[in-house]
């Protein structure tokens, strides 16, 4: 199924959050980002490309498309949350999660991926979109 490729506004957000991601990584001495093996821009690009064309192939050697999408989405969520936790002020984890799903372009992109998976006609992708990409608490946001 071919769909209109969405405008990826998360690229602008990534640029704005990158300094905070770096600060957080330096403070912690590690990151949880990297499951997909893709740089954050490439992970975002994969997700956006899938929304535009659900028949794309996985760009990650050894990973089927559903797994590559899952890992890219997990990397994107982790990257955003690691950046957000490095910013000044204390935010509860629930507030950060709510921020990601309700206020960021990256959250909107993952919601679009879940919707595209659900409508793909491919059983593994449908399962991914229904059960794995978006927490149940936010699944009502999938359109």
């Amino acid at each position: 199924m071919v769909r209109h490729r969405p405008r990826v506004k998360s690229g602008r957000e990534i640029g704005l959050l990158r300094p905070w991601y770096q600060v957080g990584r330096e403070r912690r001495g590690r990151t949880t980002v990297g499951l997909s093996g893709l740089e954050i821009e490439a992970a975002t690009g994969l997700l956006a490309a899938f929304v535009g064309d659900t028949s794309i192939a996985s760009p990650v050697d050894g990973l089927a498309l559903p797994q590559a999408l899952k890992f890219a989405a997990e990397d994107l969520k982790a990257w955003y949350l690691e950046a957000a936790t490095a910013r000044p002020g204390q935010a509860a984890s629930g507030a950060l999660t709510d921020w990601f799903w309700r206020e960021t372009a990256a959250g909107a992109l993952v919601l679009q991926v879940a919707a595209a998976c659900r409508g793909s006609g491919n059983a593994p992708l449908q399962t991914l979109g229904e059960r794995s990409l978006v927490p149940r608490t936010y699944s009502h946001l999938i359109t």
Side-chain angles (χ1 to χ4, degrees), residues 23-97:
V23 166
R25 187 175 179 165
E26 289 171 15
R27 282 184 192 157
R28 287 184 291 276
R30 64 179 175 77
T31 183
T32 60
V33 177
L35 193 57
S36 69
L38 300 170
E39 295 294 324
I40 198 63
E41 292 84 2
T44 303
L46 168 59
L47 298 171
F50 177 78
V51 171
D53 179 1
T54 60
S55 67
I56 65 170
S58 172
V60 183
D61 289 339
L63 291 183
L65 182 60
Q67 192 174 23
L69 292 169
K70 171 68 173 166
F71 289 174
E74 291 300 324
D75 281 345
L76 187 60
K77 289 185 276 186
W79 195 96
Y80 265 67
L81 294 173
E82 287 181 19
T85 58
R87 295 184 302 184
Q90 297 291 329
S93 67
L96 290 173
T97 301

Side-chain angles (χ1 to χ4, degrees), residues 3 9 17 20 24 28 30 41 56 58 67-68 74 83-84 89 96 98 101 109-110 116 124-125 133 137:
R3 298 186 181 163
K9 294 181 182 178
L17 290 170
W20 292 115
R28 287 184 291 276
R30 64 179 175 77
E41 292 84 2
I56 65 170
S58 172
Q67 192 174 23
E74 291 300 324
L96 290 173
D98 207 45
W101 290 110
L109 177 59
V110 177
L125 289 173
L133 289 175
T137 307

